[in-house]
């Protein structure tokens, strides 16, 4: 998906309705969704391929150029039946006034072409990341998981929705607090949370479940073990895309041979970098090194 930002100033209220009037003086485009995951992997020194469905439109052209600029190998299947998913934000003095979303469900032919190319590309890579934004591209997700696991590839999933059964057999799920509450309900203590998280992990046959907890850091639930990491952010400016950075850093770390706790430590540091930036952002390798070095200083 494409994130479009309109920046301007607000100095008056509209005479037509009690709403602020923004005079736009700058436009910015950033890669969002799975494209932001791929961009974060590339920024951290990894090699990523992006597979997705887009429309035959200007937003797709911009996305393709952004991926090329970020050194990401993009495989964007163009479909005349849909428009590229677009999130348009209007900001004044770095405060978001409104967000407008444009999205369509991909057509069956495009989904089949994506699945076939997935099977062709998957053997060339060390880790598979499936970013589920509920836009319809991952219709074949169960088969994608099965194919990757059969090939010995770890499968990391950023989940969405109220039915996690489609994620059965994945290596790792990375829900945030609200997403997990939708599945397991509320909890009133760390012990209750751990019990429910482990029960879900066993039910879905996951290697692990990573819960991102905003100011509370992260919790990693594995067989017979729970690990916690406190938040690393010095200043939280914008959480947009932080989950993309987390799963990107987790995937790249696992591809490099790190253990799950080591990968979580790296991902936590990377997330602390991006939440201090405005909008959809990435953590560079130099920024990650600096963040990790501050922990040991």
């Amino acid at each position: 998906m494409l994130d479009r930002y309109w920046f301007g100033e607000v100095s008056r209220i509209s005479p037509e309705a009690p709403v602020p009037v923004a005079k736009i003086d700058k436009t910015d485009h950033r890669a969002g969704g799975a494209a932001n995951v791929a961009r974060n992997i590339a920024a951290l020194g990894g090699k990523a391929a992006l597979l997705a469905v887009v429309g035959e439109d200007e937003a797709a052209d911009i996305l393709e150029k952004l991926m090329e600029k970020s050194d990401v190998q993009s495989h964007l299947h163009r479909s005349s039946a849909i428009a590229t998913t677009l999130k348009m934000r209007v900001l004044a003095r770095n405060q978001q006034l409104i967000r407008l979303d444009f999205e369509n469900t991909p057509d069956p032919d495009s989904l089949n072409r994506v699945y076939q190319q997935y099977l062709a590309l998957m053997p060339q890579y060390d880790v598979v990341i499936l970013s589920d934004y509920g836009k319809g591209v991952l219709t074949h997700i169960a088969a994608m998981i099965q194919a990757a696991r059969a090939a010995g590839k770890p499968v990391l999933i950023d989940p969405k929705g109220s039915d996690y059964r489609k994620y059965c057999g994945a290596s790792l799920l990375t829900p945030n607090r609200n997403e997990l509450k939708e599945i397991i309900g509320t909890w009133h203590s760390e012990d209750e949370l751990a019990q429910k998280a482990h029960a879900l992990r066993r039910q879905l046959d996951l290697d692990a479940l990573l819960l991102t907890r905003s100011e509370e850091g992260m919790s990693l639930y594995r067989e017979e073990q729970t690990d916690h990491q406190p938040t690393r952010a010095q200043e939280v400016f914008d959480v947009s895309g932080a989950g993309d950075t987390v799963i990107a850093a987790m995937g790249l770390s696992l591809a490099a041979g790190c253990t799950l706790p080591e990968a979580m430590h790296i991902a936590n540091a990377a997330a602390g970098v991006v939440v201090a930036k405005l909008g959809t952002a990435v953590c560079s390798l130099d920024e990650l090194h600096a963040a990790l070095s501050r922990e040991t200083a």
Side-chain angles (χ1 to χ4, degrees):
M1 64 184 69
L2 181 67
D3 287 342
R4 175 173 290 161
Y5 294 87
W6 285 352
F7 297 93
E9 289 294 328
V10 172
S11 59
R12 64 190 179 96
I13 301 298
S14 171
E16 303 166 359
V19 295
V21 175
K23 183 177 181 297
I24 303 301
D25 53 32
K26 188 177 81 168
T27 301
D28 190 19
H29 293 102
R30 301 182 191 180
N36 190 43
V37 176
R39 198 168 66 112
N40 269 274
I41 292 170
L44 289 169
K47 296 295 182 182
L50 172 69
L51 182 56
V53 180
V54 295
E56 291 278 4
D57 49 28
E58 179 202 19
D61 295 338
I62 294 171
L63 263 178
E64 205 150 38
K65 291 176 182 177
L66 288 173
M67 291 297 92
E68 183 179 352
K69 185 178 179 180
S70 298
D71 198 25
V72 171
Q73 185 70 42
S74 63
H75 303 273
L76 302 180
H77 288 261
R78 302 244 183 171
S79 170
S80 59
I82 68 165
T84 302
T85 299
L86 174 66
K87 292 182 179 180
M88 187 183 304
R89 298 171 175 90
V90 180
L91 296 94
R93 297 184 181 179
N94 293 335
Q95 296 294 316
Q96 190 173 143
L97 300 180
I98 191 172
R99 193 181 94 180
L100 308 173
D101 288 8
F102 302 85
E103 61 188 51
N104 306 104
T105 301
D107 56 288
D109 180 60
S110 294
L111 295 176
N112 288 330
R113 285 188 286 123
V114 164
Y115 179 59
Q116 293 304 318
Q117 186 159 23
Y118 168 83
L119 295 178
L121 287 171
M122 184 257 295
Q124 305 171 32
Y125 294 86
D126 298 309
V127 171
V128 172
I129 296 177
L130 302 174
S131 292
D132 193 351
Y133 276 82
K135 308 303 182 189
V137 179
L138 293 177
T139 298
H140 302 296
I141 191 168
M144 289 175 164
I145 294 169
Q146 185 177 9
R149 295 312 302 268
K153 312 289 184 181
V155 180
L156 283 64
I157 300 177
D158 193 351
K160 182 71 74 175
S162 58
D163 183 8
Y164 277 20
R165 289 174 296 179
K166 59 188 174 183
Y167 305 133
C168 279
S171 308
L172 178 73
L173 256 61
T174 63
N176 59 34
R177 285 181 300 192
N178 290 335
E179 290 165 343
L180 189 62
K181 281 180 182 177
E182 189 174 354
I183 302 303
I184 67 173
T186 58
W187 54 85
H188 302 92
S189 68
E190 285 295 323
D191 286 342
E192 184 182 6
L193 169 58
Q195 289 174 8
K196 289 185 173 183
H198 281 298
L200 178 64
R201 180 186 56 77
R202 289 189 295 268
Q203 178 187 342
L204 299 179
D205 191 26
L206 307 173
D207 293 342
L209 187 148
L210 177 67
L211 173 61
T212 57
R213 310 177 63 174
S214 190
E215 73 280 356
E216 295 177 358
M218 299 180 182
S219 296
L220 179 67
Y221 302 96
R222 296 178 290 158
E223 184 68 39
E224 304 299 331
Q225 190 165 348
T226 301
D227 301 284
H228 297 285
Q229 280 276 311
T231 184
R232 300 299 182 195
Q234 301 301 308
E235 179 184 2
V236 177
F237 192 83
D238 190 340
V239 297
S240 300
D244 299 334
T245 301
V246 168
I247 201 167
M250 289 293 298
L252 183 56
S253 297
L254 293 176
C258 295
T259 65
L260 278 166
E262 290 169 341
M264 176 176 66
H265 182 82
I266 292 169
N268 197 31
V273 171
V274 298
V275 297
K277 300 180 180 182
L278 174 65
T280 311
V282 300
C283 174
S284 70
L285 190 57
D286 288 343
E287 289 172 324
L288 177 62
H289 284 155
L292 292 171
S293 66
R294 285 195 295 270
E295 295 178 11
T296 57

